[in-house]
Amino acid sequence: MAALRWLSPRRRSATARSVLAGEASAEAARESTLREAAPAERAAEEGEAPFPVHGDDRAAAFFDLDNTVMQGAALFHFGRGLHKRKFFETRDLMRFAWQQAWFRMAGTEDPEHMRDARDSALSIVKGHRVCELRSIGEEIYDEYMAGRIWPGTRALAQAHLDAGQRVWLVTAAPVEIAQVIARRLGLTGALGTVAESVAGVYTGRLVGEPLHGPAKAEAVRALAAAENLDLSRCAAYSDSHNDIPMLSLVGHPYAINPDAKLRKHARAREWRLRDYRTGRKAAKVGIPAAAGVGAVAGGTAAAIALHRRRR
């Protein structure tokens, strides 16, 4: 923290919160992995692409969740599930829906909308037990999320797993929900926003700040140090320019379903791109062949969804 002294008090406070959020998320992710994840036997497929490198135990992959691994926002789908279970009223769900629609139209994350969604979510879970939300999260995944996983991104994650590497979700969504999704996808674990709990009950406050933007990079950095990873050999995947700090941290950054700002940034730096919303080809070679199959499926799913909305 000594390196923060030269910053203004305001910037120093914001940076310290990012570091705290990142470290808290990394600690929660590692605890979850040690507690729940059992290593699965995975064999590398024949004809595996040069990257990811098979057997490189100091390499790992970090995947953003919303619109990278899954269509839409995890927090919105979680809100739908909680509304179904009478956790809050319809007008609150409509506000969540508006925020999600605004994100889709604008193609960017508005800080005010994110702050409103965060505060609403914290007020909803306040007083509930952590184990209750985890159990409900399993049900909500099956109801609203399982069918929204992009096959192409899923194939990319599997390529890293098949190479014997660890794969982590990195998201602003609550860490408990992120852990459910990671477990159901067979990933190593998840870094997410950590809500404060006392004696297993949510207090309605956060530990640090939401895992967003620079806080994601801090979380990845903290986890890499704890897990003895070499970030220059790691990969990161995201759709949002807000994740440029995380993408810039690794040796193999990928823009997946990128927004306009990230697409421009990625092209300028010759990062690899893949868009599963349209089935576009990768801008650079080196993406595992398995992901190409997923791109076709992902593009088809997007086309079907668009056709259904227009009917």
Side-chain angles (χ1 to χ4, degrees), residues 14 18 21 38 56 58 74 92 110 116 168 173 208 215 230 243 245 250 263 266:
S18 293
D56 186 355
R58 296 200 64 199
D92 298 308
D110 180 79
D116 186 28
W168 303 82
D230 182 347
D243 288 338
V250 300
R263 184 180 293 275

Side-chain angles (χ1 to χ4, degrees), residues 60-77:
F62 302 95
F63 284 79
D64 169 56
L65 177 58
D66 295 349
N67 296 305
T68 301
V69 171
M70 182 178 70
Q71 301 173 53
L75 189 59
F76 171 68
H77 298 309

Side-chain angles (χ1 to χ4, degrees), residues 35-53:
R35 181 177 67 250
E36 299 173 359
E41 294 182 3
R42 300 184 179 95
E45 297 177 358
E46 293 184 3
E48 186 177 75
F51 182 82
V53 178

Side-chain angles (χ1 to χ4, degrees), residues 23-48:
E23 291 177 347
S25 183
E27 181 180 357
R30 294 190 76 232
E31 288 178 354
S32 172
T33 303
L34 293 172
R35 181 177 67 250
E36 299 173 359
E41 294 182 3
R42 300 184 179 95
E45 297 177 358
E46 293 184 3
E48 186 177 75

Side-chain angles (χ1 to χ4, degrees), residues 40-57 59-63 69 150-168 185-188 233-235 237 254 256 272 274 276 286-294:
E41 294 182 3
R42 300 184 179 95
E45 297 177 358
E46 293 184 3
E48 186 177 75
F51 182 82
V53 178
H54 180 71
D56 186 355
D57 61 3
F62 302 95
F63 284 79
V69 171
W150 288 111
T153 313
R154 180 70 186 89
L156 288 170
Q158 189 61 47
H160 286 279
L161 293 171
D162 290 342
Q165 296 179 6
R166 287 158 286 183
V167 178
W168 303 82
L185 293 178
L187 309 183
T188 307
R233 287 144 67 175
C234 292
Y237 301 79
Y254 289 74
I256 305 295
R272 295 182 176 93
R274 175 72 77 175
Y276 298 119
I287 291 184
V293 177

Side-chain angles (χ1 to χ4, degrees), residues 20 118-119 122 193-196 203-211:
L20 177 60
R118 176 199 67 194
D119 293 343
L122 287 171
T193 297
V194 179
E196 182 185 73
T203 66
R205 295 186 295 270
L206 292 182
V207 177
E209 62 180 22
L211 201 69

